[in-house]
Amino acid sequence: MLSTFDPPYYAVIFSSVRREADTAYDEMTLHMAQRTQAMPGYLGAESYRLPDGSGVTISYWRTLEDVQYWRSDMQHRAAQDQGRAQWYSSYRIRVCRVAYDYGFDEAGQLL
Amino acid sequence: MLSTFDPPYYAVIFSSVRREADTAYDEMTLHMAQRTQAMPGYLGAESYRLPDGSGVTISYWRTLEDVQYWRSDMQHRAAQDQGRAQWYSSYRIRVCRVAYDYGFDEAGQLL
């Protein structure tokens, strides 16, 4: 996910270590991803998980208020509670303001 | 990598799509990871790569000046040039200020 957004915008880095995969986890992550996409200020997300259980999901948001609104969503809070109880052995969430970005696309253009 | 650092600090999110793996790439990434760890202001990093070639490395830094110093390092610049020419089909670098973080550790402690 190499989209560009006009800064400033916000990144939420959710690093986690998963205990074990199960069907309920997969259903929850799919449901929460869909719900996230419908939230105000959502710009995009990228997600990675390694075979050892460690992984990260980074979601991008227009404003800090959008991040806080998403954090307070009741379904999101319930998923977090269940995550701590059942699916994750640890996690860390970092809320960041993107100051600037740059990159390089398939056509060789510096962006 | 679920370390905690005292905010504010900086996160550099390097999202990339790799063309194909080769030995030279593996040697470069190992060398650059070691060199990064010796840079002033380096706090830590986490890295993930999926079988489809997409991946992310997030490095954490004390100040924005530390990020800029690392960006201007000559070996780092050479690796970036080679990366664009050879290893990556695209990448995006986002330089972020971590405003706050929170989490949950193996002992069930909210942090």
Side-chain angles (χ1 to χ4, degrees), chain B residues 7-82:
Chain B
Y9 56 95
Y10 290 82
V12 178
I13 304 170
F14 173 55
S15 306
S16 64
V17 180
R18 201 166 67 185
R19 291 183 197 279
E20 76 239 43
D22 63 28
T23 308
Y25 176 83
D26 294 340
E27 288 172 358
M28 180 279 290
T29 54
L30 179 63
H31 175 73
M32 293 313 291
Q34 290 171 339
R35 189 168 175 86
T36 304
Q37 288 164 23
M39 287 284 143
Y42 174 82
L43 298 173
E46 53 188 313
S47 196
Y48 311 90
R49 176 82 49 195
L50 300 186
D52 70 4
S54 66
V56 69
T57 296
I58 310 168
S59 57
Y60 298 103
W61 302 86
R62 181 48 65 198
T63 71
L64 201 54
E65 289 69 34
D66 295 327
V67 171
Q68 289 162 344
Y69 181 80
W70 170 229
R71 184 181 178 183
S72 65
D73 174 73
M74 290 310 292
Q75 285 194 30
H76 189 192
R77 293 176 70 96
Q80 291 177 318
D81 290 344
Q82 195 170 4

Side-chain angles (χ1 to χ4, degrees), chain A residues 2-4 9 15 46 60 71 84 90-97 99-104 111, chain B residues 2-4 9 15 46 60 71 84 89-97 99-104 111:
Chain A
L2 301 175
S3 303
T4 62
Y9 56 95
S15 306
E46 54 188 313
Y60 299 101
R71 184 181 178 183
R84 284 192 296 273
S90 57
Y91 65 70
R92 181 145 291 279
I93 293 169
R94 295 182 166 96
V95 178
C96 314
R97 181 180 185 277
Y100 59 92
D101 63 23
Y102 56 99
F104 165 76
L111 300 172
Chain B
L2 302 176
S3 303
T4 61
Y9 56 95
S15 306
E46 53 188 313
Y60 298 103
R71 184 181 178 183
R84 284 192 295 272
S89 56
S90 58
Y91 65 70
R92 179 145 295 274
I93 293 169
R94 295 182 166 96
V95 178
C96 314
R97 182 179 184 276
Y100 59 92
D101 63 23
Y102 56 100
F104 165 75
L111 300 171

Side-chain angles (χ1 to χ4, degrees), chain A residues 41-97:
Chain A
Y42 173 82
L43 297 174
E46 54 188 313
S47 196
Y48 311 90
R49 176 81 51 195
L50 299 186
D52 71 2
S54 67
V56 70
T57 296
I58 311 168
S59 57
Y60 299 101
W61 301 85
R62 181 51 62 200
T63 71
L64 201 54
E65 289 69 33
D66 295 326
V67 172
Q68 289 161 344
Y69 182 79
W70 170 227
R71 184 181 178 183
S72 66
D73 175 74
M74 290 309 293
Q75 285 194 30
H76 189 192
R77 293 176 71 96
Q80 291 177 319
D81 291 344
Q82 193 170 5
R84 284 192 296 273
Q86 192 171 341
W87 291 312
Y88 299 115
S89 57
S90 57
Y91 65 70
R92 181 145 291 279
I93 293 169
R94 295 182 166 96
V95 178
C96 314
R97 181 180 185 277

Side-chain angles (χ1 to χ4, degrees), chain A residues 14-61:
Chain A
F14 174 55
S15 306
S16 64
V17 180
R18 200 167 66 185
R19 292 184 198 278
E20 75 239 43
D22 62 28
T23 308
Y25 176 83
D26 293 340
E27 287 171 358
M28 180 278 290
T29 53
L30 179 62
H31 176 71
M32 293 311 292
Q34 289 171 342
R35 189 169 176 83
T36 304
Q37 288 164 23
M39 287 282 145
Y42 173 82
L43 297 174
E46 54 188 313
S47 196
Y48 311 90
R49 176 81 51 195
L50 299 186
D52 71 2
S54 67
V56 70
T57 296
I58 311 168
S59 57
Y60 299 101
W61 301 85

